[in-house]
């Protein structure tokens, strides 16, 4: 059965409002997604019935909170097809997960003259941690170039990834170009070279089925808030044998086994990485988000987004002055559409669209190196999700026309 986005939209209280006297059309889902009532209810229910610290108390509430918290780890494991819950670590989000991998795995395994391979489309969160690691260790950063279509140049990747490569860090989906990258192929290249592959899955996990084993990812990271869950919660997945070698990045309560005056030992995986009181409510909310998405089915979410883009793309192509970025082939793209309107600054476009009730993002999208490669300062970005309908697309297209009229496109 096809996804009924109109019906799903009713599950999201925030989407029932008007903005600037127009029904809200929320198209900034790559920045963060809205939360269904099921997630909001789970948060409230947790605080009303089960709030306690986890892994510490023996009282009923502590046990209830701990059980709920650990049950979500199992849900995440199933959702991404990890081997075991020991490989699922709760963090603050993708950014934290990537920083931890660079700090812990990176500093222990990357040395002077080693190479770290990135792509030119990486978000700053999958760029700066490696840049800092390279500065600290004397390693060299190499970059996989992009083809004209916005896809990665895999021939160039094959040449770049070699004996000196220690890490290949790549986004599964770009937050600007909407392109889906071929992680399995890149992982194969990395593994043949004896390197590990670190995947930034922030824009993938919310939008398509992800199987970390099928992808052969050594590390995989994502954020709860981009998949209907709360902010401040994310996941670091790593293969057990890699996580076991790694030192924790943060130290304190909860992650220790034995503390002596001069030395300490750590808990086993995954808890050795979870120092301090974790974001328990965030974890519970993420669990509710996973339930919501799983009931729908991620394959359906993916297909629905592709259909929406297939409906939008030709309409955008017809508008005089619109330039779109990223691949035209819907098979390799998600619901992220970056574009510019000739002669009108992206921020002006986004502000004028807001007057029509349409929320889009303008800027460099935390991808300055990519913007430089594209010879751009910024773009407008509309990013779609499961509650966006073809009517939303129509209103979005109409809003672009209205913006053009407002700025008297072609007459100045
Ligand atoms: N991109 C966007 O509007 P955090 O902030 O840690 O949850 O996610 C960081 C991040 C990492 N990788 C990719 C590909 C991302 O898109 C993001 C977040 C938002 O595009 C905010 S800049």
């Amino acid at each position: 059965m096809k996804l009924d986005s109109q019906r799903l939209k009713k599950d999201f209280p925030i989407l029932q409002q008007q903005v600037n006297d127009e029904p809200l059309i929320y198209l900034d889902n790559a920045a963060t997604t809205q939360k269904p009532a099921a997630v909001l209810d789970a948060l409230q229910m947790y605080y009303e019935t089960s709030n306690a610290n986890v892994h510490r108390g023996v009282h009923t509430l502590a046990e209830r909170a701990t059980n709920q918290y650990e049950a979500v780890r199992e849900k995440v494991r199933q959702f991404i097809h990890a081997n075991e819950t020991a490989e699922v670590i709760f963090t603050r989000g993708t950014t934290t997960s990537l920083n931890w991998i660079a700090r812990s795995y990176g500093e222990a395994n990357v040395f002077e003259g080693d190479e770290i391979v990135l792509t030119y489309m990486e978000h700053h969160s999958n760029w700066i941690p490696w840049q800092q690691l390279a500065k600290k260790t004397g390693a060299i950063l190499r970059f996989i170039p992009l083809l004209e279509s916005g896809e990665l140049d895999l021939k160039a990747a094959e040449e770049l990834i070699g004996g000196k490569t220690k890490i290949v860090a790549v986004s599964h989906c770009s937050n600007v170009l909407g392109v889906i990258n071929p992680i399995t192929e890149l992982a194969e290249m990395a593994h043949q070279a004896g390197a590990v592959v670190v995947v930034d899955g922030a824009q993938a996990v919310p939008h398509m089925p992800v199987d970390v084993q099928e992808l052969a990812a050594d590390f995989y990271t994502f954020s709860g808030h981009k998949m209907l869950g709360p902010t401040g919660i994310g996941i670091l997945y790593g293969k057990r044998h890699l996580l076991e070698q790694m030192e924790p990045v943060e130290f304190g309560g909860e992650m220790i086994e034995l503390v002596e005056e001069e030395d300490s030992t750590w808990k086993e995986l995954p808890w050795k990485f979870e120092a301090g009181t974790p974001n328990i409510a965030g974890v519970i909310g993420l669990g509710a988000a996973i339930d919501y998405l799983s009931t729908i089915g991620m394959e359906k979410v993916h297909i629905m987004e592709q259909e929406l883009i297939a409906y939008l793309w030709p309409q955008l192509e017809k508008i005089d002055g619109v330039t779109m970025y990223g691949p035209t082939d819907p098979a390799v793209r998600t619901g992220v559409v970056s574009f510019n309107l000739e002669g009108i600054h992206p921020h002006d476009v986004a502000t004028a669209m807001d007057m029509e009730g349409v929320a889009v993002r303008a800027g460099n999208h935390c991808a300055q190196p990519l913007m430089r490669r594209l010879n751009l300062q910024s773009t407008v970005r509309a990013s779609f999700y499961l509650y966006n309908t073809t009517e939303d697309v129509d209103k979005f297209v109409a809003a672009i026309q209205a913006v053009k009229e407002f700025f008297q496109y072609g007459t100045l």
Side-chain angles (χ1 to χ4, degrees):
M1 222 175 63
K2 269 183 81 165
L3 208 56
D4 183 351
S5 300
Q6 202 70 56
R7 188 178 60 72
L8 292 182
K9 198 179 250 196
K10 296 199 175 92
D11 293 339
F12 293 77
I14 201 171
L15 298 177
Q16 310 311 317
Q17 65 182 295
Q18 302 232 323
V19 166
N20 295 319
D21 297 328
E22 297 287 342
L24 168 63
I25 309 293
Y26 185 78
L27 301 179
D28 195 15
N29 294 290
T32 198
T33 56
Q34 301 304 347
K35 322 303 171 199
V39 168
L40 303 175
D41 290 349
L43 292 171
Q44 182 151 0
M45 178 73 96
Y46 164 71
Y47 277 124
E48 279 182 2
T49 66
S50 312
N51 178 49
N53 214 325
V54 290
H55 302 136
R56 287 167 169 88
V58 291
H59 60 80
T60 301
L61 290 191
E63 223 170 277
R64 207 181 281 163
T66 303
N67 290 343
Q68 290 180 19
Y69 178 85
E70 289 302 329
V72 176
R73 206 187 298 276
E74 169 60 17
K75 277 183 193 173
V76 174
R77 183 199 71 72
Q78 286 181 23
F79 198 64
I80 60 168
H81 303 272
N83 238 335
E84 44 177 326
T85 49
E87 297 178 326
V88 175
I89 296 155
F90 292 122
T91 68
R92 288 190 292 280
T94 309
T95 304
T96 305
S97 302
L98 291 166
N99 273 280
W100 285 11
I101 299 164
R103 292 264 302 281
S104 178
Y105 182 85
E107 287 182 21
N109 291 282
V110 176
F111 304 101
E112 195 174 347
D114 286 344
E115 294 183 356
I116 302 165
V117 175
L118 311 178
T119 83
Y120 278 118
M121 69 174 82
E122 296 314 308
H123 185 278
H124 297 161
S125 293
N126 198 28
W127 195 297
I128 308 169
W130 307 114
Q131 197 181 59
Q132 294 304 304
L133 177 65
K135 278 190 179 178
K136 245 185 218 170
T137 58
I140 297 154
L141 295 175
R142 312 285 304 269
F143 301 97
I144 303 174
L146 310 187
L147 300 169
E148 198 61 26
S149 67
E151 291 169 83
L152 289 178
D153 183 341
L154 287 186
K155 278 213 179 76
E158 243 177 290
E159 279 159 32
L160 274 177
I161 300 170
K164 289 189 177 166
T165 311
K166 282 290 169 70
I167 289 172
V168 176
V170 57
S171 50
H172 196 167
C173 298
S174 161
N175 68 323
V176 179
L177 301 171
V179 60
I180 304 170
N181 289 321
I183 299 301
T184 317
E185 279 97 316
L186 290 164
E188 202 178 314
M189 289 178 207
H191 293 152
Q192 268 177 14
V196 297
V197 62
V198 179
V199 185
D200 169 355
Q203 300 293 351
V205 172
H207 302 283
M208 64 184 72
V210 166
D211 181 330
V212 290
Q213 306 208 53
E214 206 174 284
L215 294 170
D218 297 295
F219 295 102
Y220 197 100
T221 61
F222 56 102
S223 300
H225 70 98
K226 293 188 197 288
M227 52 186 289
L228 312 179
T231 49
I233 186 68
I235 299 295
L236 190 179
Y237 157 83
K239 284 185 182 159
R240 177 190 264 277
H241 76 101
L242 296 171
L243 293 175
E244 251 163 11
Q245 300 165 23
M246 286 161 56
E247 280 294 302
V249 178
E250 292 180 354
F251 302 93
E254 188 65 1
M255 49 75 71
I256 46 81
E257 192 179 61
L258 179 72
V259 179
E260 291 175 303
E261 280 75 358
E262 305 292 340
D263 210 357
S264 304
T265 56
W266 320 137
K267 268 191 184 158
E268 59 183 346
L269 285 174
W271 301 289
K272 78 170 179 181
F273 288 103
E274 295 176 7
T277 301
N279 181 357
I280 307 164
V283 168
I284 305 292
L286 175 62
I290 290 177
D291 286 344
Y292 186 91
L293 289 169
S294 302
T295 304
I296 294 167
M298 291 311 295
E299 191 57 47
K300 272 193 193 157
V301 173
H302 183 44
I303 290 169
M304 172 265 165
E305 280 184 26
Q306 284 181 320
E307 285 175 355
L308 216 52
I309 297 304
Y311 177 70
L312 165 68
W313 202 266
Q315 298 191 58
L316 274 184
E317 274 177 335
K318 275 192 221 136
I319 303 176
D320 193 28
V322 168
T323 306
M324 288 112 85
Y325 306 99
T328 51
D329 178 3
V332 292
R333 60 157 39 256
T334 61
V336 169
V337 179
S338 286
F339 66 98
N340 272 318
L341 256 180
E342 193 188 355
I344 311 175
H345 194 282
H347 282 108
D348 291 339
V349 175
T351 306
M353 290 193 95
D354 185 52
M355 298 313 294
E356 306 289 321
V358 179
V360 293
R361 183 177 172 187
N364 61 47
H365 314 296
C366 302
Q368 289 182 22
L370 173 63
M371 289 293 144
R372 272 196 297 279
R373 302 298 294 181
L374 298 174
N375 276 323
L376 295 170
Q377 291 281 333
S378 53
T379 71
V380 188
R381 185 188 66 186
S383 48
F384 294 80
Y385 206 19
L386 44 75
Y387 37 65
N388 291 126
T389 59
T390 49
E391 289 76 23
D392 290 355
V393 170
D394 294 341
K395 286 193 179 143
F396 167 63
V397 172
I400 296 178
Q401 300 285 15
V403 171
K404 281 180 64 175
E405 275 165 36
F406 181 77
F407 286 98
Q408 297 175 331
Y409 174 81
T411 60
L412 297 177

